[in-house]
Amino acid sequence: MARNIQSLERAAAMLRLLAGGERRLGLSDIASALGLAKGTAHGILRTLQHEGFVEQDAASGRYQLGAELLRLGNSYLDVHELRARALVWTDDLARSSGESVYLGVLHQQGVLIVHHVFRPDDSRQVLEVGAMQPLHSTALGKVLSAYDPVAHSEVVEAERKAFTGRTVSALDDFEQLLDLTRARGYAADVEETWEGVASVAAPIHDRRRMPVGAVGITGAVERVCANGELRPELIAAVRDCARAVSRDLGAGRF
């Protein structure tokens, strides 16, 4: 059985201690409460402080939780609120479109799938929650790159690998695609990531009107497209879903 890393266990215990009880604690209080030598406790606190997880009051020398933990906590809550608000609407989208529905958010240099609704038929499917998709070639990724400045920076600086002969890799051409995405309010991926597969996605905004994710459908080209173009009714359905989730997040009308 794998052994736990003692320093990480001690750091976690320290954060839990600071999260409860008094707002600020001194080094002696922390060391005593956790049964640690002062030197050991101080070393862990210095590391946590360097990473922004702990802050030290200049006047008293006492420690408290840092802003980085708040940022991480808000990110966790944002993703879970997004998923909770999207549940009903994504189910409706899968039912009306007959295709798989994906909800994605920016994570590191890609798209993290945080919710996946199966295509409503009897075919064998694999749940893809937790999977990563590329930013530059998928419909979800292009939406995030078009609307989220952080995602845009990530995709510009990253290698844009050509997955198929249709993948747009050149930066100037890719920027034109993002302009088109912003102009029409959705992004497409017709065999740019996987042969025989097409997708369409639209952005989701929160109460601050900031982009917090993207929702889209994915299916076989022959179902999602007609005469070489995305089916208009599917585009409309995806955009309606994105607007509905955005409204539930407090974004108002888009």
Side-chain angles (χ1 to χ4, degrees):
M1 185 175 69
R3 297 178 62 185
N4 293 338
I5 300 174
Q6 188 180 54
S7 59
L8 292 180
E9 289 183 327
R10 288 172 170 175
M14 200 169 285
L15 292 174
R16 292 191 187 98
L17 179 65
L18 290 169
E22 296 183 34
R23 180 174 173 79
R24 292 174 180 167
L25 294 172
L27 174 60
S28 295
D29 300 323
I30 294 170
S32 176
L34 299 179
L36 299 175
K38 282 188 179 181
T40 301
H42 187 243
I44 296 172
L45 284 167
R46 283 179 57 190
T47 301
L48 292 172
Q49 186 177 359
H50 177 74
E51 296 298 329
F53 296 140
V54 164
E55 295 174 356
Q56 186 178 28
D57 180 66
S60 67
R62 290 174 172 266
Y63 294 90
Q64 65 183 25
L65 294 180
E68 182 64 12
L69 274 180
L70 178 62
R71 187 190 70 80
L72 292 175
N74 284 339
S75 174
Y76 175 85
L77 292 174
D78 285 348
V79 169
H80 283 262
E81 182 183 8
L82 171 62
R83 184 178 180 276
R85 298 289 185 180
L87 288 176
V88 172
W89 300 111
T90 50
D91 283 349
D92 287 346
L93 179 58
R95 189 162 43 249
S96 65
S97 68
E99 301 295 345
S100 299
V101 177
Y102 295 89
L103 187 68
V105 299
L106 175 67
H107 181 66
Q108 296 176 351
Q109 293 183 327
V111 183
L112 174 66
I113 303 302
V114 297
H115 185 51
H116 174 199
V117 184
F118 284 167
R119 185 172 64 254
D121 59 21
D122 296 328
S123 62
R124 183 178 179 182
Q125 300 173 63
V126 177
L127 186 66
E128 295 188 43
V129 172
M132 293 290 292
Q133 294 186 1
L135 281 172
H136 70 286
S137 62
T138 61
L140 292 171
K142 282 185 272 190
V143 163
L144 294 173
S145 300
Y147 288 91
D148 185 336
V150 177
H152 182 261
S153 297
E154 294 282 5
V155 77
V156 166
E157 295 172 4
E159 177 188 2
R160 291 173 298 280
K161 179 182 177 180
F163 296 106
T164 74
R166 292 174 175 264
T167 308
V168 177
S169 300
L171 183 56
D172 288 347
D173 294 338
F174 183 72
E175 291 285 13
Q176 290 181 17
L177 268 183
L178 298 187
D179 288 340
L180 179 61
T181 297
R182 287 185 284 265
R184 62 190 185 182
Y186 71 90
D189 166 12
V190 181
E191 297 188 286
E192 292 181 49
T193 310
W194 302 282
E195 297 281 359
V197 177
S199 303
V200 57
I204 296 172
H205 298 80
D206 66 5
R207 61 185 63 86
R208 300 160 296 175
R209 291 185 173 260
M210 296 294 292
V212 292
V215 63
I217 61 169
T218 297
V221 170
E222 57 268 24
R223 296 195 308 267
V224 177
C225 298
N227 300 318
E229 301 289 338
L230 291 168
R231 289 167 52 192
E233 66 271 24
L234 294 181
I235 296 172
V238 169
R239 296 192 67 194
D240 286 346
C241 178
R243 291 191 192 102
V245 178
S246 296
R247 284 196 300 271
D248 278 3
L249 287 171
R253 295 184 64 84
F254 268 82

